[in-house]
Amino acid sequence: MRVSFQRLLKQALFVIGAGMVAVCANARADELIVSAAASLTNAFKAIGAAYEQQHPGTKVLLNFGASDVLMQQIVKGAPADVYASADQKAMDKAVAEKVVDPATRQDFAANALVLIVPKDSQFMPTSLDALAQPGVKRVAFCDPASVPIGRYAKGALEAAGLWDAVNAKSVLAGDVRQSLDYVSRGEVDAGFVFATDAAIMPERVRVAMTVPTQTPVTYPIALVDGSRHAADAKAFIAYVLSPAGQAILAKYGFKPVGTAH
């Protein structure tokens, strides 16, 4: 059964918009707002805490969601100082909309696309072809038009000649963490997430296979144009790229740039 992504997107925009209004109302001069892809949630919470320890005068406010949704929020005036996306296309859109400084854009991590199934599932596909089987009724992923994980999944399915067949079974999620939740609750037969997302629920999901992608799964980060905390934002970006920041990312399963396939 196909879930309306438009409804999910509207809900996401409302929730993020409401959250950003609260952020704006409570923001202080020493608060740095970082808008980052949902798949970075655990790693960036740890990075934010570590950064605050080294910069006791700064409070890092983290805003997570689908990369394209976050970018659109910034375009519409939501406060942000740093933007980190889960693919290059989302950052390309941010550059085209002139909401980030392209001179500060740098790739800082790599990931992998994986196909997961519920932990207790008897279905354990070893190829994408298995998703086209009649017994597979629901497959979770995100809208390729709006969410990076959806773009990676669509590219892989198109390369395998399976896009139409699997898309007909899609249960669209608002972001990669929602796709993970659908699988963990057994609401779908399988789902596409990043390897780092699957790793946070080993007791509820299993990785059936690592899925080759047409483009490497890489994460860019940049300074939001017009940031009122540009110096702090650049320092945060530098910390993410530093050995200390990279060690935290590695702890949560992210790979160094250049190792993505």
Side-chain angles (χ1 to χ4, degrees):
M1 179 175 65
R2 191 178 179 86
V3 176
S4 170
F5 181 74
Q6 286 73 22
R7 176 170 59 83
L8 291 172
L9 181 57
K10 288 180 180 178
Q11 291 174 346
L13 287 169
F14 174 80
V15 171
I16 292 175
M20 294 313 289
V21 167
V23 166
C24 189
N26 297 309
R28 303 193 308 266
D30 59 351
E31 290 179 331
L32 184 71
I33 302 173
V34 178
S35 287
S39 53
L40 293 166
T41 299
N42 300 65
F44 264 38
K45 283 182 178 178
I47 285 176
Y51 182 83
E52 288 177 352
Q53 287 185 338
Q54 293 194 8
H55 301 79
T58 300
K59 174 67 176 177
V60 178
L61 300 182
L62 297 164
N63 179 40
F64 298 108
S67 299
D68 293 47
V69 174
L70 295 176
M71 184 273 295
Q72 284 298 329
Q73 288 293 320
I74 296 171
V75 169
K76 294 176 180 178
D81 301 295
V82 176
Y83 174 59
S85 63
D87 77 347
Q88 300 298 327
K89 287 188 177 180
M91 187 62 77
D92 289 344
K93 293 177 183 178
V95 170
E97 292 284 356
K98 302 186 187 305
V99 294
V100 297
D101 179 357
T104 65
R105 175 178 179 172
Q106 297 189 70
D107 293 343
F108 66 92
N111 212 333
L113 177 68
V114 297
L115 182 69
I116 59 172
V117 296
K119 186 73 171 183
D120 59 357
S121 175
Q122 298 302 308
F123 178 56
M124 183 56 66
T126 56
S127 72
L128 293 178
D129 290 332
L131 297 178
Q133 295 175 359
V136 177
K137 305 298 184 182
R138 297 176 298 277
V139 180
F141 55 90
C142 300
D143 192 332
S146 307
V147 189
I149 188 75
R151 290 192 278 270
Y152 290 121
K154 181 181 180 181
L157 290 167
E158 285 182 333
L162 297 166
W163 171 245
D164 290 339
V166 178
N167 187 41
K169 305 177 180 184
S170 66
V171 176
L172 295 179
D175 60 41
V176 67
R177 289 299 173 90
Q178 189 173 46
S179 184
L180 176 65
D181 286 341
Y182 285 157
V183 179
S184 71
R185 295 195 296 263
E187 296 175 2
V188 296
D189 299 300
F192 290 92
V193 299
F194 292 123
T196 52
D197 298 297
I200 69 175
M201 285 191 179
E203 74 288 351
R204 299 184 67 179
V205 304
R206 289 189 294 171
V207 174
M209 60 179 293
T210 298
V211 181
T213 55
Q214 291 181 307
T215 58
V217 180
T218 53
Y219 289 66
I221 191 169
L223 168 72
V224 174
D225 192 51
S227 165
R228 292 179 296 175
H229 311 94
D232 239 349
K234 289 179 179 178
F236 181 85
I237 293 171
Y239 184 79
V240 170
L241 291 161
S242 74
Q246 292 292 298
I248 293 173
L249 286 163
K251 177 182 177 181
Y252 288 91
F254 290 90
K255 305 298 182 183
V257 174
T259 61
H261 299 291

